[in-house]
Amino acid sequence: MSNDKIKVAVTGAGGRMGKEVVKMVLEDEALQLVAAIDPSAGPVDAGTIIGAGETGVTISANLAEALNTVKADVLVDFTVPQAAYSNTRTAIEYGVRPVIGTTGFTPEQITELDELCQKQGIGALIAPNFSIGAILMMKFAAEAAKYMPHVEIIEYHGDQKLDAPSGTSIKTAELISETRQELRQGNPKEEETIEGARGGYYNGFRIHSVRLPGVFAQQEVIFGGHGQTLKIRHDSYERAGYMPGVNHAVKKVMTYSGLIYGFEHIMD
Ligand code: NAP
C-alpha cells in the first residue's frame, strides 16, 4: 500500500533538526522518504547520516533537481533563512506542500507565499515552534494574564545562542500583551545598580535571558498576585521533542489550501 503513503522530501537533511526529521519519517509507516537535500552532507544514503540502514534515498545538493526526478507530496525544511524562502517557493512551484521550521521569514514573504499556495491550490505551514508543550505554555500564559497581569518571563538556553531574548519568549510576550490589561509593573522609582539586572523591558513587563552550557531550551512565565504566584514552565530536553509536531503538520498540511503561520492553528 506504499501508494497511500505521504511522500516526504527533507531539506537540511544533514543538519541537527533535519536528521531528526529523516529519522521521524523513516519510523512512520504512513510516511515515505523520497528525497533528502543538503549542500554538503551528500552524496551518501540518507540512512547513513542517522546511523540507520540503507534507505535507497541518496542525499542530493539541489531541491529543484531532486523534485524533477521524484514525486513528493510534502517538503519539510529546517535549513537557514537565506535558503528556506527559495526552497519554499520551489516546493510550491512543483505542487509540493511546504512544512517549514526554519525561522526568519518576513511578513511580506509569508503573504507572498500564501498567494502562491492559493494559486496552486495547495497547503503550507510555517511554524517557528513545533513543540506542543511550548505552544500550550504560551496559550496558558495568555489565559492567566487576563486574571494576573503582573508577569515576568525567564527563558533559558545554551550559552552559544546568538539572539536574546529568544523568539519563543517574544512570541509569549506578544500573546500575553493581547490579553493583559495595560500596566507598568514594579516600583516606578526602582533603579538598577547593575545594568540589566531587571531584564529586558517589553510592554510594561520584563523578560530575562539565562545563557548556560548544558541547557537546551526552557521557559518559565511567572505571575504574581495577592499572596500568591503562578508559574507556567516548559522544558525542552532534545530536538526529538519537536518531531511529534512536525509529524502532525506533515499529515495536516495535506488537508487544506493556503499558508498557515503558526503550529497553534493546526493543533486540533
Ligand atoms: P543546522 O544544524 O545548522 O542545519 C541546517 C542545515 O541546512 C545544514 O545541514 C545546512 O547545510 C543545510 N542547508 C543550508 N542551505 C541549504 C539549502 N539551500 N538546501 C538544503 N539544505 C541547506 O541548523 P538546525 O539547528 O537544524 O536549525 C535549522 C533551522 O531550524 C534554524 O532556522 C532554527 O532556528 C530552526 N529551528 C526551528 C524549530 C521549530 O520548532 N520551528 C526548532 C529548532 C530549530 P550546510 O551545513 O552544508 O550549509
Side-chain angles (χ1 to χ4, degrees):
M1 295 294 285
S2 76
N3 284 347
D4 296 337
K5 294 186 179 191
I6 300 173
K7 298 179 179 61
V8 182
V10 180
T11 33
R16 287 167 294 187
M17 288 296 285
K19 282 183 194 156
E20 294 295 336
V21 176
V22 169
K23 208 182 289 176
M24 178 275 288
V25 172
L26 292 174
E27 282 170 2
D28 186 342
E29 289 193 346
L31 308 180
Q32 184 187 354
L33 183 73
V34 293
I37 299 97
D38 199 285
S40 52
V44 292
D45 188 283
T48 60
I49 59 162
I50 57 161
E54 296 268 313
T55 63
V57 174
T58 303
I59 297 182
S60 56
N62 184 285
L63 175 62
E65 282 171 22
L67 296 182
N68 273 330
T69 55
V70 291
K71 158 92 184 77
D73 298 309
V74 175
L75 169 74
V76 181
D77 181 288
F78 284 91
T79 58
V80 290
Q82 308 88 288
Y85 171 70
S86 70
N87 285 344
T88 310
R89 278 196 74 113
T90 303
I92 298 168
E93 280 158 18
Y94 279 79
V96 178
R97 294 161 186 258
V99 169
I100 310 297
T102 310
T103 45
F105 282 78
T106 66
E108 294 74 28
Q109 287 176 330
I110 290 169
T111 306
E112 192 188 319
L113 291 167
D114 180 32
E115 281 164 13
L116 283 176
C117 284
Q118 308 272 9
K119 233 187 247 172
Q120 286 278 56
I122 61 170
L125 177 79
I126 297 181
N129 200 324
F130 276 102
S131 159
I132 289 164
I135 300 286
L136 290 176
M137 176 257 299
M138 289 187 238
K139 279 188 175 213
F140 296 156
E143 183 65 15
K146 281 187 206 166
Y147 308 98
M148 298 182 79
H150 291 264
V151 58
E152 304 217 357
I153 298 174
I154 308 177
E155 55 94 347
Y156 308 75
H157 282 86
D159 63 337
Q160 296 307 304
K161 184 171 175 59
L162 290 171
D163 52 322
S166 69
T168 298
S169 69
I170 295 172
K171 178 81 180 161
T172 309
E174 285 169 3
L175 292 174
I176 285 174
S177 294
E178 285 172 16
T179 59
R180 171 182 174 269
Q181 74 185 64
E182 264 189 60
L183 128 106
R184 177 159 186 156
Q185 287 174 205
N187 190 328
K189 292 186 186 151
E190 86 179 1
E191 274 178 35
E192 289 182 333
T193 51
I194 297 178
E195 195 191 329
R198 290 290 291 118
Y201 180 83
Y202 182 92
N203 230 359
F205 58 100
R206 303 282 175 171
I207 306 177
H208 310 265
S209 298
V210 178
R211 296 289 177 266
L212 285 171
V215 179
F216 183 55
Q218 285 146 2
Q219 181 169 295
E220 204 165 46
V221 188
I222 309 175
F223 296 89
H226 291 293
Q228 59 188 304
T229 59
L230 168 68
K231 294 178 183 167
I232 301 173
R233 182 180 171 103
H234 178 255
D235 300 274
S236 281
Y237 300 106
E238 54 178 5
R239 287 179 183 81
Y242 296 104
M243 291 307 121
V246 178
N247 181 286
H248 178 71
V250 166
K251 291 168 184 169
K252 196 83 179 182
V253 79
M254 297 298 294
T255 65
Y256 62 85
S257 296
L259 188 151
I260 291 178
Y261 180 70
F263 183 72
E264 60 275 23
H265 303 298
I266 63 149
M267 263 175 76
D268 299 331

